[in-house]
Amino acid sequence: MIQIDHSLEPEALRDGVEAVFTQAAPKLRSLHSTWDLQKGAPVYTLAGGYATRGWTEWTQGFMYGMPLYLFDATGEQEFLDLGREGTRTVMASHVSHIGVHDHGFNNISTYGNLLRLMSEGRIRENFWEREFYRLALKVSGAVQAARWTPLPDELGFIHTFNGPHSLFADTIRTLRVLAAAHELGHVLMGESDERISLLRRLLQHAESTARWNVYYGNGRDGWDLRGRVVHESIFNVRNGAYRCPSSQQGYSPFTTWTRGHSWVLLGFAEQLEYFYERLENEDVAAQHLPFYPDLATAEERFRETACAAADFYLEHTPADGITYWDTGAPNLHRLGDYLNRPADPFNEWEPVDSSAAAISAQGLLRLGRYLQQRGDTERGRRYEKAGLTTARSLMAQPYLSFDPEHQGLLLHTIYHYPNRWDRVQPGQRVPNGESCMWGDYHLLELAVYLQRLMDGRPYLAFYRGTKREDGDGNG
């Protein structure tokens, strides 16, 4: 389990944070000067150079969101120009994309970050540019909410590209775009001009995820460990009945694919922050959901889910906070007492996935801060220190890439190990030494998050700039 350094404060990571920014700059210049958009979106590196992998274009927003974060951190205009122009010229199709569950990844990373930066005064105020970002988020939130599978008892979920039967753990973080659009006063218009609340669909999807993709140690099946997460839940679309767990990218439905787990940890933590800072009791009560009659009930459920996931991460991750790709991977036993020493990305049996650690570190930090605000100081501090411990590992070798010829920032990431999409280097038995868009993006986001804490700047949150009064006041 993670050997938490309880002495850590954010300031202790300043050198690592600065190293992330220093290494990111030439890598982003290299990527943006060499990438051919006709190939689609960059996904992961092969021998140190970014390549695509046809599935969906869910990583496009990371390509332009990373320069925006580097501008946020350094003030260098070239990176604002890269991110803003890329958003304007490339991202429109992602706003209206009806075939994916990834709107929160693509559009919060771009339009959302630009709106936030303008609201903070980091970029020049322009009324119509602001309206451009606001409109994109409104439409994106509604389009995402329209990809809907209804379930009995007023539940339902945003279904994946696999079809209406499929609920992914990943999608919990795409709910950010529903929250942003709701904050901007938008609704989804349905048949006969039905006004469908985006907050209602957010709450319905979150409860479906908490109920079927997360385990609580209640004997649901033979592998019901508290905090375990299954990548996919399968439903009978004719009657809405839950059928079984599944996994696209993990080892099995009865083990935990760690990146899917990380989305749950971060996704629920961010929504708790949103609840705490933005929602009132009447906002939730007005949705008339039997399982969330009020804000306190919803908040307690989200807290239960996030804390279960956090505890599982602490208990099933090696000492340095870097996780292997699946906690039930079949050859982990060959590594001996692997949970009580740092992860080894160069081992012969199972790959680590540093991208899952980068996402989880931010989840631990956000959840820790929220709990401390709510008076749960001891538990909140534990999660905070675990997040800092993990971040410290990520922001140094062998995970932070210092190789000027390598386009990736965060090394030793995994995309789809069951399909063997990840490159195995000569002389190695499992993948290592490569990067991916979401790993690089979330490491950079983690660094910006910590920099803002250290420097006393506004707290980094996806809903900044999305109040209805931030602009012309018209929803």
Side-chain angles (χ1 to χ4, degrees):
M1 62 187 300
I2 298 177
Q3 294 179 3
I4 301 171
D5 185 343
H6 291 278
S7 71
L8 279 180
E9 297 293 341
E11 183 62 37
L13 274 64
R14 186 174 291 276
D15 288 348
V17 166
E18 293 300 325
V20 170
F21 300 145
T22 299
Q23 297 307 314
K27 294 176 185 296
L28 287 176
R29 293 187 187 106
S30 173
L31 173 63
H32 283 265
S33 64
T34 60
W35 186 254
D36 179 6
L37 286 172
Q38 297 302 313
K39 296 191 297 185
V43 177
Y44 62 170
T45 63
L46 298 174
Y50 262 103
T52 191
R53 181 81 205 198
W55 205 0
T56 69
E57 301 292 309
W58 74 284
T59 59
Q60 193 86 70
F62 299 146
M63 181 179 182
Y64 300 112
M66 283 192 287
L68 295 175
Y69 271 140
L70 197 54
F71 166 75
D72 190 331
T74 67
E76 294 186 43
Q77 183 70 29
E78 66 170 301
F79 296 111
L80 173 61
D81 294 342
L82 276 176
R84 183 158 54 182
E85 186 62 12
T87 299
R88 185 186 71 83
T89 58
V90 177
M91 294 303 297
S93 63
H94 296 285
V95 173
S96 56
H97 197 332
I98 65 172
V100 296
H101 56 275
D102 301 319
H103 279 246
F105 295 123
N106 272 319
N107 297 320
I108 293 293
S109 304
T110 49
Y111 300 101
N113 272 331
L114 285 162
L115 181 60
R116 175 182 58 79
L117 288 166
M118 183 171 284
S119 298
E120 292 176 349
R122 297 295 308 284
I123 58 180
R124 183 175 58 85
E125 177 66 41
N126 180 288
F127 175 80
W128 284 113
E129 184 179 350
R130 179 186 285 273
E131 285 302 296
F132 174 67
Y133 303 144
R134 285 160 53 96
L135 180 60
L137 292 172
K138 291 176 185 179
V139 174
S140 177
V143 170
Q144 186 71 109
R147 190 174 174 81
W148 191 248
T149 295
L151 297 177
D153 303 320
E154 300 197 59
L155 286 161
F157 59 90
I158 297 164
H159 57 259
T160 77
F161 54 67
N162 284 334
H165 63 286
S166 170
L167 167 61
F168 273 4
D170 318 23
T171 313
I172 192 68
R173 203 175 188 228
T174 212
L175 294 185
R176 294 176 301 160
V177 79
L178 274 69
H182 172 78
E183 286 296 297
L184 291 168
H186 201 53
V187 297
L188 169 63
M189 297 298 290
E191 300 296 329
S192 303
D193 283 348
E194 179 188 5
R195 296 173 63 86
I196 301 168
S197 166
L198 300 179
L199 177 60
R200 191 175 202 270
R201 291 220 160 159
L202 182 159
L203 294 168
Q204 290 171 299
H205 179 99
E207 174 57 26
S208 297
T209 301
R211 189 173 298 190
W212 286 294
N213 290 66
V214 183
Y215 290 77
Y216 302 92
N218 295 326
R220 174 176 156 188
D221 60 31
W223 288 269
D224 184 352
L225 299 177
R226 179 176 173 271
R228 193 178 82 73
V229 170
V230 65
H231 182 201
E232 184 179 32
S233 292
I234 302 297
F235 295 83
N236 180 332
V237 296
R238 289 187 177 273
N239 62 8
Y242 170 77
R243 299 306 305 148
C244 63
S246 180
S247 185
Q248 298 291 312
Q249 290 163 269
Y251 174 61
S252 86
F254 301 103
T255 62
T256 293
W257 174 53
T258 53
R259 181 149 52 86
H261 183 275
S262 72
W263 295 131
V264 165
L265 175 51
L266 176 54
F268 277 98
E270 280 187 309
Q271 292 300 327
L272 282 167
E273 292 181 315
Y274 168 59
F275 284 11
Y276 181 70
E277 291 199 25
R278 285 293 181 86
L279 294 188
E280 301 292 340
N281 184 64
E282 53 265 29
D283 296 319
V284 174
Q287 308 311 316
H288 303 294
L289 293 170
F291 42 87
Y292 293 150
D294 50 39
L295 177 58
T297 304
E299 193 173 351
E300 177 55 35
R301 175 62 154 168
F302 279 48
R303 184 163 53 241
E304 174 193 28
T305 304
C307 289
D311 289 341
F312 184 92
Y313 191 83
L314 267 58
E315 294 168 11
H316 295 269
T317 298
D320 57 354
I322 310 299
T323 186
Y324 288 89
W325 74 283
D326 192 297
T327 62
N331 287 308
L332 282 176
H333 69 281
R334 296 179 181 270
L335 300 179
D337 192 20
Y338 67 94
L339 288 178
N340 288 313
R341 60 174 184 266
D344 177 11
F346 305 105
N347 80 85
E348 297 184 352
W349 298 108
E350 297 289 356
V352 304
D353 185 3
S354 61
S355 73
I359 299 161
S360 295
Q362 190 181 159
L364 290 166
L365 289 166
R366 290 184 181 278
L367 180 59
R369 176 180 179 268
Y370 160 81
L371 290 171
Q372 291 176 74
Q373 289 174 323
R374 281 302 203 188
D376 193 349
T377 305
E378 183 177 353
R379 184 161 57 167
R381 292 284 286 176
R382 183 168 184 256
Y383 294 155
E384 177 196 10
K385 301 306 184 184
L388 291 172
T389 301
T390 303
R392 181 176 61 184
S393 300
L394 292 164
M395 294 177 180
Q397 292 179 322
Y399 297 102
L400 181 61
S401 172
F402 291 85
D403 181 355
E405 302 301 317
H406 199 299
Q407 287 188 321
L409 183 64
L410 179 63
L411 299 176
H412 312 307
T413 67
I414 289 294
Y415 186 17
H416 202 314
Y417 193 49
N419 277 357
R420 296 301 193 260
W421 286 354
D422 302 275
R423 177 176 178 267
V424 178
Q425 299 191 65
Q428 300 288 311
R429 293 184 58 176
V430 299
N432 56 43
E434 301 291 356
S435 303
C436 61
M437 275 280 107
W438 57 93
D440 288 0
Y441 178 87
H442 284 90
L443 180 64
L444 197 50
E445 185 173 72
L446 178 62
V448 171
Y449 177 92
L450 289 169
Q451 183 195 52
R452 284 172 167 247
L453 290 180
M454 291 186 290
D455 294 346
R457 293 170 55 200
Y459 187 74
L460 185 66
F462 73 86
Y463 44 83
R464 297 292 187 230
T466 61
K467 285 185 178 179
R468 298 181 201 187
E469 60 267 27
D470 289 340
D472 69 347
N474 296 321

